[in-house]
Amino acid sequence: MSGFSSPEVLCGFGGVFSIRLSVSLNFWSSVFWALSGMAFHEQELDSIKHALGDMCIAWAHLEEACFVILLYTMSRVELSAFELIRNELDFRGALQVCKGHAVANHWERHSDHIPILVDMIDGEIRSARNRLIHDPITAGPHSYVRQSNITRYRKSPFKLHVQIGTFTNVSSDEIYTLTRAVRALERYALSVVQYLDWLDGERQIKWEFPSMEIAQLGAHFAITEYTQIAKSRGSAL
């Protein structure tokens, strides 16, 4: 999609969950869509705002589940020391500690699943989540779009081309599909925690979460669903 300048940004997330919207944003969006010969889809704008909030909540729960895995990984560390270490680790760093420990100290079945879980999170899902959180969302000619300020290079037979920023279609359906993938990853993480609880001596008559193998399969299908809808809309990164 070709670039354009929109009067106002509809949504922007700067690392902290916040939606910077005002009456003027809705006004300028209405004007833009009217000038394009299209009715302004107020319902879709509200759906996008809700979908982004839902995704942020789901991601926070995924992080919490993975930090519980980290707690088990560092089980020999005194609790207050662990909490201090946790406070200094970002999510990606915590995941890499869990993955490295599982590979270096392989024991029991969960050690095979932790690296798979980490790779699933650190792949397309994290990238898509970051783009939706940090990219401003504006009204485009036919739908809402997100503006990615990323420099990309493309080679041709005779010269190197540079692309500075892109505009990509975005919809509430796509964001909700991504959120389903994030929640499936949380269930996968909690299935690992459930197994670690069992190893730690906790006996449950009925386990709350599916087995690690079933949860892994569910996460795989949910990620595949998101990938397909993102590609169909030209949103894949």
Side-chain angles (χ1 to χ4, degrees), residues 3-39:
F4 65 91
S5 296
S6 176
E8 290 286 346
V9 174
L10 297 185
C11 306
F13 289 71
V16 178
F17 174 51
S18 61
I19 303 180
R20 296 173 293 188
L21 295 165
S22 67
V23 174
S24 64
L25 300 187
N26 290 328
F27 168 78
W28 282 113
S29 297
S30 301
V31 170
F32 186 89
W33 283 73
L35 291 175
S36 302
M38 300 180 63

Side-chain angles (χ1 to χ4, degrees), residues 193-212:
V193 172
Q194 180 176 253
Y195 188 75
L196 288 167
D197 286 341
W198 178 78
L199 288 176
D200 199 40
E202 183 175 329
R203 295 292 184 265
Q204 296 178 334
I205 298 175
K206 183 178 180 181
W207 285 14
E208 181 179 358
F209 301 99
S211 69
M212 292 181 289

Side-chain angles (χ1 to χ4, degrees), residues 3-232:
F4 65 91
S5 296
S6 176
E8 290 286 346
V9 174
L10 297 185
C11 306
F13 289 71
V16 178
F17 174 51
S18 61
I19 303 180
R20 296 173 293 188
L21 295 165
S22 67
V23 174
S24 64
L25 300 187
N26 290 328
F27 168 78
W28 282 113
S29 297
S30 301
V31 170
F32 186 89
W33 283 73
L35 291 175
S36 302
M38 300 180 63
F40 175 63
H41 295 287
E42 181 72 26
Q43 183 177 359
E44 173 61 5
L45 175 59
D46 289 341
S47 295
I48 288 175
K49 289 186 283 185
H50 182 276
L52 288 170
D54 194 35
M55 183 190 65
C56 287
I57 293 171
W59 190 264
H61 283 277
L62 172 61
E63 286 190 358
E64 182 62 26
C66 291
F67 271 110
V68 175
I69 295 176
L70 178 67
L71 174 60
Y72 268 109
T73 298
M74 303 177 65
S75 59
R76 295 184 179 180
V77 177
E78 193 268 330
L79 182 58
S80 62
F82 163 77
E83 291 173 342
L84 290 167
I85 294 170
R86 168 183 173 156
N87 291 346
E88 298 303 320
L89 277 176
D90 61 13
F91 186 34
R92 174 172 286 181
L95 288 176
Q96 292 306 313
V97 170
C98 292
K99 179 179 179 179
H101 184 272
V103 173
N105 300 277
H106 187 278
W107 65 284
E108 284 289 347
R109 290 165 44 225
H110 69 279
S111 297
D112 295 323
H113 285 276
I114 290 175
I116 296 172
L117 170 65
V118 171
D119 289 345
M120 281 183 165
I121 296 171
D122 270 343
E124 182 180 2
I125 296 303
R126 176 194 291 280
S127 179
R129 176 262 180 189
N130 288 347
R131 293 276 59 83
L132 286 167
I133 292 295
H134 295 290
D135 291 350
I137 296 177
T138 61
H142 306 293
S143 68
Y144 291 101
V145 297
R146 57 178 177 79
Q147 178 183 346
S148 299
N149 299 312
I150 299 175
T151 302
R152 293 186 174 95
Y153 296 94
R154 180 173 54 86
K155 289 184 178 180
S156 68
F158 302 104
K159 65 181 298 186
L160 182 67
H161 301 272
V162 62
Q163 182 181 34
I164 304 174
T166 59
F167 291 87
T168 308
N169 293 334
V170 66
S171 72
S172 57
D173 287 342
E174 177 190 341
I175 302 170
Y176 282 128
T177 305
L178 176 62
T179 301
R180 286 195 292 274
V182 172
R183 290 206 166 98
L185 287 166
E186 181 199 359
R187 286 193 295 273
Y188 189 14
L190 289 173
S191 74
V192 174
V193 172
Q194 180 176 253
Y195 188 75
L196 288 167
D197 286 341
W198 178 78
L199 288 176
D200 199 40
E202 183 175 329
R203 295 292 184 265
Q204 296 178 334
I205 298 175
K206 183 178 180 181
W207 285 14
E208 181 179 358
F209 301 99
S211 69
M212 292 181 289
E213 290 76 17
I214 293 176
Q216 177 190 348
L217 195 61
H220 169 75
F221 285 137
I223 292 171
T224 300
E225 180 190 17
Y226 168 73
T227 301
Q228 290 175 344
I229 191 174
K231 286 182 178 179
S232 70

